[in-house]
Amino acid sequence: MIPSTLSNDTIVALATASGHGAIAVIRLSGPDAIPLVDAVFKGKNLAHQPSHTLHFGTIREGDQILDEVVVSLFKGPASYTKEDVVEVSCHGSPFITEQLIKLFLKKGARLALPGEFTKRAFLNGQFDLAQAEAVADLIASDSALTHQIAMKQMRGGFSAEIKALRAQLIHFASMIELELDFSEEDVEFADRAGLRRLITTLQKLISDLLQSFEMGNVLKHGVATVIAGKPNAGKSTLLNALLNEEKAIVSDIPGTTRDVIEDEATLGGIRFRFIDTAGLRETLDTVEAIGVARTKEQLQKAAVVLYLFDVTSTSPAQLQEELQQLQLPGVPHLLLANKKDLATPQQLESFEHLENLVFLSAGQKEGLEELQQALLALVHANEALTGDRTIVTNLRHFQGLQKTDEALQEVLQGLDNGLTGDWLASDIRRSLYYLGEITGEITTDDLLDNIFTKFCIGK
Ligand code: GDP
C-alpha cells in the first residue's frame, strides 16, 4: 500500500556536489517546475517545448542576468520522479547556485528534503524500495564490485527474487483464506504438502540471501586483510609498498610498529582494508605486549591473513611452528617469504614446496604483482564473488529476511502441529508483510523517513 504522503508542491535542490566545478545542476520536480523556470528563463517558452529537450538561455532576476544556463526538460511521467522535472545546468559556482535556488524559492518552489526526489520516484511507482535504496548505494560505491552489486539491485535483480517468493506465498495465503470462507464444509483448497515444499524452498533461498550478507558487508566495507609476522619481517615496508605511501613507521628496531595501522586499497576491483599489526613476539615489554594482544585480536576479525616472514632468518620448521601458534591454518591466508633479495638459493628452495606461498621483496618492491594475483585468487575462491548470485548488502533487507524466515518457521511448525487454516494464514500473512517491507509493497511513513533521510539533499 502506498501512503498518501505524496505532496503536490514543487521542490528544488542542487543535484551536483557542492563547491566549485565546471557546471552545477539544479533540479526541480513537481507540477510547477516548468512554469516556475519559465518565469525567470529568457530563451524559449519552455511550456511549449517537447519533453527530453535542451534549451540555452539566461536566468534573470528583474533586469539582472544571474547566469547563462542550459535547461533540460523532462515532462512527467517520462522523468526520474515521474513528475515534471527541469534541470538547470549553470556555471559551477556556489554563489551562482545559491542565487538561482533562492530565486526559485522566491517563485514558489520549496527546498527538497534529503532523498525527496528518489522518494517521489518511489511513491510514483518508478521503482520499488529496494531499488530506490540501491540508488544511494550506487552513488556511494567505490569499487568495481560494490558498483556491480548496487547496479544489479537498482535494475531490480534482488527485488525480482523477493517478489517471486512473495507471489508464491500470496497464492497459498489466498487458498487458505478461501478455505476459511468454506469452513463449515471442511474442505482443503491449499495442499498442505505443497505448502510445506514451498516453504522449504523459500527458506533455502532466504538462507542463501542471509548468508550473502556477510560477503556483502565485506565487499561494502573492504576485505579485512591482516598483515602479520614477527618484528622486522617487513610488515610496515610491505604495507607502504601496497599503499604507495609512508603511513606505517619503518625502522630497524624490532617492535617499533606498536599500534595497529589500517589503510585501504582497491586491487582488481575489490576493496581491501590492510591492517598492519605489531610484531608477534612474546615479550616482557608492556607496550609491546599490548601490541601482541591486539594482533591476536585483529587476526580474529581477519577475512584474509598475509603472514610475512624473513626468508633469510626463518627455517621451514620455525615457520610451521609460528603458524601453529597463531592457529592460522583455519583462516584463508598467504605465506609471504620476504627479503628474497637477501636470500641464498638454498634458503629460497627450502620453501618452494609450500602452498599459498609467494616470494617477495617488500623493500625492493619485487613480487608485489604476484602477491596481488594470489590475494585476488584467494578472495575469488569464495563462490559468492564469482557466481551471478544476488548479494544482500543492506542491513534493513537482511533484517527483513530474518523476520520472514522466523515467520515461515512458524508456518512450518503450525503445519507440524496440525494448526487450523486461520492460524496458518496469519503466520503466512506475517511473512508476506516482512517480504513486502523489503520491496516497499508495504510501507509506513516511519519506514520511508528512515530510509530517505539518509540520502543527500538533491538525490
Ligand atoms: P616490521 O617490523 O615487520 O614492520 O618490519 P619493517 O617493515 O619495519 O622492516 C624491518 C627492516 O627490514 C627495515 O629496515 C626494512 O627496510 C627491511 N626490509 C623490509 N623488507 C625488506 C626486503 O624485502 N629486503 C630487504 N633487504 N630489507 C627489507
Side-chain angles (χ1 to χ4, degrees):
M1 193 196 73
I2 292 174
S4 55
T5 51
L6 193 54
S7 41
N8 207 15
D9 49 4
T10 299
I11 51 173
V12 62
L14 181 66
T16 43
S18 58
H20 296 270
I23 53 171
V25 176
I26 295 167
R27 191 194 245 172
L28 296 101
S29 177
D32 294 330
I34 297 173
L36 215 145
V37 178
D38 243 346
V40 294
F41 177 73
K42 190 149 188 202
K44 285 179 199 145
N45 185 328
L46 298 172
H48 297 149
Q49 306 306 318
S51 182
H52 293 70
T53 50
L54 300 177
H55 308 280
F56 176 76
T58 54
I59 299 275
R60 301 179 183 222
E61 182 165 26
D63 293 337
Q64 195 197 354
I65 296 181
L66 294 185
D67 199 10
E68 291 188 337
V69 300
V70 172
V71 168
S72 324
L73 215 54
F74 305 94
K75 294 190 173 170
S79 73
Y80 182 63
T81 57
K82 295 203 161 215
E83 303 170 335
D84 283 347
V85 170
V86 180
E87 288 180 0
V88 179
S89 304
C90 60
H91 290 96
S93 128
F95 176 75
I96 293 176
T97 53
E98 196 186 317
Q99 296 302 306
L100 294 187
I101 289 174
K102 273 188 184 158
L103 182 60
F104 293 133
L105 293 177
K106 217 193 271 177
K107 295 288 170 193
R110 165 172 73 72
L111 208 53
L113 299 168
E116 196 171 0
F117 291 93
T118 309
K119 184 177 176 182
R120 287 186 174 201
F122 162 69
L123 290 174
N124 286 322
Q126 176 76 286
F127 36 54
D128 69 37
L129 206 50
Q131 286 174 299
E133 287 170 296
V135 175
D137 283 346
L138 187 68
I139 293 170
S141 68
D142 54 5
S143 72
L145 256 169
T146 47
H147 167 260
Q148 189 186 316
I149 293 170
M151 183 62 90
K152 196 172 159 193
Q153 189 179 325
M154 193 179 75
R155 294 178 65 85
F158 174 60
S159 301
E161 281 189 50
I162 299 294
K163 282 179 189 154
L165 297 184
R166 208 163 172 264
Q168 296 181 63
L169 267 180
I170 287 175
H171 170 72
F172 267 100
S174 50
M175 291 314 244
I176 289 185
E177 273 158 20
L178 198 61
E179 279 174 26
L180 299 179
D181 292 343
F182 290 85
S183 56
E184 271 144 43
E185 283 145 59
D186 198 24
V187 286
E188 265 195 16
F189 291 115
D191 159 27
R192 299 296 191 266
L195 179 59
R196 190 185 291 274
R197 272 197 305 277
L198 172 69
I199 290 176
T200 320
T201 317
L202 295 186
Q203 281 192 312
K204 168 80 180 83
L205 280 171
I206 289 175
S207 129
D208 285 350
L209 288 172
L210 287 173
Q211 271 175 22
S212 79
F213 183 66
E214 202 177 321
M215 183 41 72
N217 245 344
V218 164
L219 295 178
K220 213 166 171 176
H221 303 294
V223 180
T225 308
V226 167
I227 304 179
K230 287 168 83 171
N232 255 357
K235 297 181 294 298
S236 313
T237 313
L238 175 65
L239 186 67
N240 285 338
L242 287 170
L243 300 175
N244 261 329
E245 62 182 64
E246 296 290 311
K247 182 151 185 179
I249 321 141
V250 183
S251 88
D252 277 334
I253 313 152
T256 34
T257 316
R258 289 221 156 102
D259 219 335
V260 175
I261 298 177
E262 192 172 319
D263 222 324
E264 297 176 349
T266 301
L267 309 175
I270 297 178
R271 183 136 69 115
F272 288 89
R273 271 191 297 125
F274 289 106
I275 304 156
D276 181 21
T277 58
L280 289 170
R281 191 182 51 149
E282 296 306 328
T283 171
L284 293 175
D285 177 332
T286 46
V287 181
E288 179 63 15
I290 294 168
V292 173
R294 282 212 198 160
T295 300
K296 289 195 169 150
E297 203 181 289
Q298 293 296 329
L299 280 178
Q300 307 274 313
K301 292 190 230 152
V304 175
V305 176
L306 298 181
Y307 191 79
L308 202 64
F309 63 97
D310 182 341
V311 71
T312 65
S313 65
T314 314
S315 71
Q318 272 169 335
L319 177 66
Q320 289 309 333
E321 197 179 312
E322 288 169 26
L323 298 182
Q324 287 306 332
Q325 250 178 23
L326 286 176
Q327 292 157 344
L328 210 52
V331 188
H333 65 273
L334 292 179
L335 302 175
L336 307 181
N338 192 31
K339 307 195 188 180
K340 71 169 182 177
D341 53 310
L342 301 179
T344 62
Q346 289 80 1
Q347 281 171 330
L348 295 178
E349 217 182 284
S350 65
F351 288 99
E352 257 164 12
H353 64 285
L354 289 179
E355 270 180 45
N356 284 344
L357 183 125
V358 179
F359 290 103
L360 81 158
S361 164
Q364 310 283 319
K365 296 198 164 99
E366 280 170 22
L368 293 180
E369 187 56 34
E370 287 83 346
L371 164 58
Q372 287 191 19
Q373 295 307 328
L375 188 56
L376 288 175
L378 202 64
V379 176
H380 278 293
N382 188 319
E383 53 132 354
L385 284 172
T386 43
D388 198 28
R389 78 182 248 210
T390 301
I391 296 179
V392 178
T393 53
N394 185 305
L395 180 63
R396 192 183 75 80
H397 302 166
F398 177 75
Q399 288 170 339
L401 287 168
Q402 265 183 333
K403 287 190 206 148
T404 310
D405 193 43
E406 282 162 22
L408 286 176
Q409 196 54 40
E410 279 172 33
V411 182
L412 271 189
Q413 273 166 12
L415 283 172
D416 286 343
N417 300 333
L419 281 193
T420 52
D422 45 352
W423 286 104
L424 289 178
S426 125
D427 285 333
I428 295 180
R429 253 185 264 124
R430 215 153 49 81
S431 53
L432 281 172
Y433 178 87
Y434 293 128
L435 276 181
E437 262 194 346
I438 296 177
T439 45
E441 267 113 347
I442 292 171
T443 57
T444 59
D445 287 351
D446 279 352
L447 174 71
L448 293 186
D449 283 350
N450 212 340
I451 292 171
F452 289 107
T453 48
K454 292 194 189 111
F455 278 57
C456 305
I457 290 178
K459 219 181 266 170

